[in-house]
Amino acid sequence: MSSEEAPKSVLPYPPIHADAPFVVLSDWDGTITDRDSNDYLVDNLGFGFEKRRELNLECLSGRMTFRDSFAEMLDSVNQKHAFEECKNELKKNIKLDPGFVNFYTWCRSKKIPFVIVSSGMAPNIKGVLETLLPNQEDTKDIDIIANEVKFTDPEGTGKTWEIVYRHPTSGFGHDKSQAILPYRELEHKPTLFFCGDGVSDLSAAKHADLLFAKVMANGHSDLKTFCEREQIKHVPFKDFNKVLERVRDVVEGGKSVEQVLREEGN
């Protein structure tokens, strides 16, 4: 663990699953979903793809923090489009990864906690989940650790709004490692699985036992690029059917994390 002081969270955390032998943590946007909901808003309601991708690359290269780049992206949306309008756009246009429901159903059957760790805003995540999961009761078993939203219009109705970062002093805005590291302090050392796809997942990438890096249909993955550059062992995946296969190998098949990683070419 880093000797640097952990960033202070201005938002509460759910209790950790202290007795679980296995825990799955996952990014939301572009990982559980078929596309990044924030990218969708910026590309369609904000300043568009080219400027957004330019900021993504600035962040990936280390020339700009994720927090600052993300705030700039959302500022191109939030002064022109009410929050409810944005949320409804996402509910209509964002879909789940084709293997996610099967994977999550299996996790529930094995009593494996599932935690969403996102740099997005919790109300948007809840809105999309409640729209897309077959049984809305399922959402009660998913912990969501994310940023929040603040309505800034005088009426407080969300005509204008801004993101509330969980860790405003961190360059990540939400330092996802802080959702993982408490499990490292547990005496029984649970096996931690983490799934991600992009620059917001970099703070968590080094702390999982088995890291899954989502690769889009066009072969793109900022997280995979980062892992290859930093020589971080990981399992690439195109959908959650692959995650289910490999997590099941560990939980039910008796394989070690190291064996899975070797089989995946690490």
Side-chain angles (χ1 to χ4, degrees), residues 23-27 115 117 176 180 192-197 200-201 204-205 207-213 223 237:
V23 180
V24 176
L25 305 101
S26 178
D27 170 57
V115 184
V117 188
K176 294 184 180 184
I180 296 180
L192 304 177
F193 305 97
F194 185 86
C195 307
D197 77 308
S200 70
D201 302 311
H207 299 293
D209 293 298
L210 189 53
L211 173 66
F212 294 89
L223 181 58
F237 74 103

Side-chain angles (χ1 to χ4, degrees), residues 134-151:
N135 182 354
Q136 292 190 15
E137 286 294 309
D138 292 348
T139 63
K140 295 181 180 178
D141 290 331
I142 298 178
D143 290 335
I144 298 175
I145 303 174
N147 295 312
E148 272 294 344
V149 63
K150 176 183 178 182
F151 295 164

Side-chain angles (χ1 to χ4, degrees), residues 1-7 178 181 207:
M1 185 187 303
S2 172
S3 60
E4 294 181 6
E5 184 178 357
Q178 300 305 309
L181 290 174
H207 299 293

Side-chain angles (χ1 to χ4, degrees), residues 168-231:
T169 62
S170 166
F172 289 103
H174 175 192
D175 183 343
K176 294 184 180 184
S177 69
Q178 300 305 309
I180 296 180
L181 290 174
Y183 287 98
R184 292 295 184 205
E185 303 301 321
L186 296 175
E187 186 175 350
H188 71 280
K189 305 300 180 192
T191 300
L192 304 177
F193 305 97
F194 185 86
C195 307
D197 77 308
V199 293
S200 70
D201 302 311
L202 304 188
S203 67
K206 296 180 181 179
H207 299 293
D209 293 298
L210 189 53
L211 173 66
F212 294 89
K214 181 77 171 279
V215 180
M216 304 305 288
N218 62 4
H220 175 75
S221 173
D222 283 342
L223 181 58
K224 183 172 181 290
T225 298
F226 174 80
C227 288
E228 290 171 347
R229 188 179 74 199
E230 300 297 322
Q231 297 185 319

Side-chain angles (χ1 to χ4, degrees), residues 83-84 149-162:
F83 188 75
E84 281 301 310
V149 63
K150 176 183 178 182
F151 295 164
T152 56
D153 56 301
E155 300 81 13
T157 60
K159 291 179 182 176
T160 59
W161 51 274
E162 64 185 28

Side-chain angles (χ1 to χ4, degrees), residues 1 6 41 59 89 219 227:
M1 185 187 303
L41 291 178
C59 182
E89 278 293 304
C227 288

